[in-house]
Amino acid sequence: MQVQNKIYSIIGHKGYGKTKLTEILIAMNNKPTIIADPRYQYEAKEYRRHFKNVGHFRKYILNNNNRREFYRCNLELVVNGLDEDNFEELAALVYKMSDISFLVDEIDMFAPPTMTRKASFYKLIHYGRHNRIDIFTTSRRSANISRNLTSQTDVVLFSRVREPNDKKYIGNYIGKEYIKVAENLQKFHFLVIDENYKAHVVGISSKVASKV
């Protein structure tokens, strides 16, 4: 799977492997990564640095020695303690960077349908590719995400879905025949819809997921 220079949206039911899938995708992407983690989903790893808030992250990333370490070692910088205002500050910092991955967990908290053009994340969605910024997002429901994001997404990955509006979204997106597929997905399995609107199911073995 070619990951770079794309926007990935991962949508689906809690506990079905979204976080593990994002960890695999960013590992495949092989770029230094910034992770917005409002619900503390990303555990400590030797290649990760965790920050309690955006202020601590800003201090780190604006230091030239730290910045070089971030790029040289392909680190993952995980920022916690985020609300809407904090995320705006984080997205503004990311927008000024290049050659990185930006992963946002629970994106509906920060990019709802009411997101405006003034938001830094709007700029990342539309112009981040110019700086080779790849974007990965997760959410539980497609209905809660800004259409600015869904319209620019290259690849959508659904884990098991249950909500009627999400089923309708899948039906409208690629065809009603795929609704049953999404309804019956097992844990660590995903319905992948690529930029050519082709769909297929992929699975992550529990053994692989546990090692990520």
Side-chain angles (χ1 to χ4, degrees):
M1 185 185 293
Q2 177 65 34
V3 176
Q4 292 190 354
N5 299 317
K6 293 181 180 179
I7 298 177
Y8 279 69
S9 292
I10 303 165
I11 303 166
H13 192 62
K14 178 183 177 182
Y16 274 71
K18 295 193 303 293
T19 300
K20 291 301 181 184
L21 178 61
T22 60
E23 291 182 312
I24 290 169
L25 288 174
I26 61 176
M28 290 172 59
N29 205 22
N30 195 32
K31 282 185 176 182
T33 302
I34 296 169
I35 301 175
D37 182 20
R39 298 196 179 278
Y40 301 87
Q41 296 294 310
Y42 291 84
E43 301 172 352
K45 304 279 187 181
E46 63 181 41
Y47 49 83
R48 283 181 184 156
R49 305 284 187 273
H50 282 76
F51 300 88
K52 294 181 179 179
N53 55 55
V54 177
H56 288 177
F57 169 78
R58 174 189 284 274
K59 184 176 180 180
Y60 174 91
I61 204 64
L62 294 183
N63 178 285
N64 288 334
N65 289 333
N66 293 339
R67 198 180 183 99
R68 282 193 290 269
E69 178 194 35
F70 170 61
Y71 279 99
R72 184 180 69 253
C73 301
N74 269 12
L75 296 180
E76 295 178 10
L77 307 182
V78 182
V79 186
N80 301 120
L82 292 164
D83 59 21
E84 192 172 343
D85 290 337
N86 298 146
F87 180 75
E88 171 61 25
E89 182 179 355
L90 176 62
L93 287 167
V94 170
Y95 184 69
K96 296 176 182 179
M97 302 177 72
S98 61
D99 295 298
I100 63 169
S101 297
F102 185 37
L103 193 166
V104 186
D105 195 37
E106 307 291 358
I107 187 60
D108 47 297
M109 294 177 62
F110 310 116
T114 55
M115 184 179 70
T116 70
R117 290 173 176 265
K118 295 180 180 180
S120 292
F121 190 66
Y122 176 95
K123 297 176 184 177
L124 279 166
I125 292 168
H126 289 274
Y127 310 117
R129 286 185 177 88
H130 297 304
N131 288 339
R132 299 168 301 284
I133 299 173
D134 306 305
I135 299 174
F136 303 82
T137 68
T138 73
S139 65
R140 298 184 189 181
R141 298 199 55 210
S142 57
N144 296 337
I145 307 169
S146 170
R147 298 288 79 84
N148 286 300
L149 175 57
T150 57
S151 68
Q152 298 300 311
T153 293
D154 298 289
V155 181
V156 184
L157 300 98
F158 286 96
S159 68
R160 187 176 180 182
V161 297
R162 295 179 177 176
E163 292 292 333
N165 284 343
D166 293 335
K167 296 175 187 178
K168 182 178 179 181
Y169 180 85
I170 292 173
N172 291 338
Y173 198 34
I174 53 166
K176 293 181 180 179
E177 65 271 25
Y178 287 99
I179 294 175
K180 282 291 183 184
V181 176
E183 284 179 327
N184 295 312
L185 287 168
Q186 300 300 308
K187 191 173 184 178
F188 297 126
H189 286 75
F190 300 86
L191 175 63
V192 182
I193 307 167
D194 66 22
E195 59 265 52
N196 297 314
Y197 297 97
K198 294 181 179 179
H200 61 280
V201 174
V202 298
I204 305 168
S205 73
S206 58
K207 186 178 292 187
V208 170
S210 67
K211 292 181 180 179
V212 175

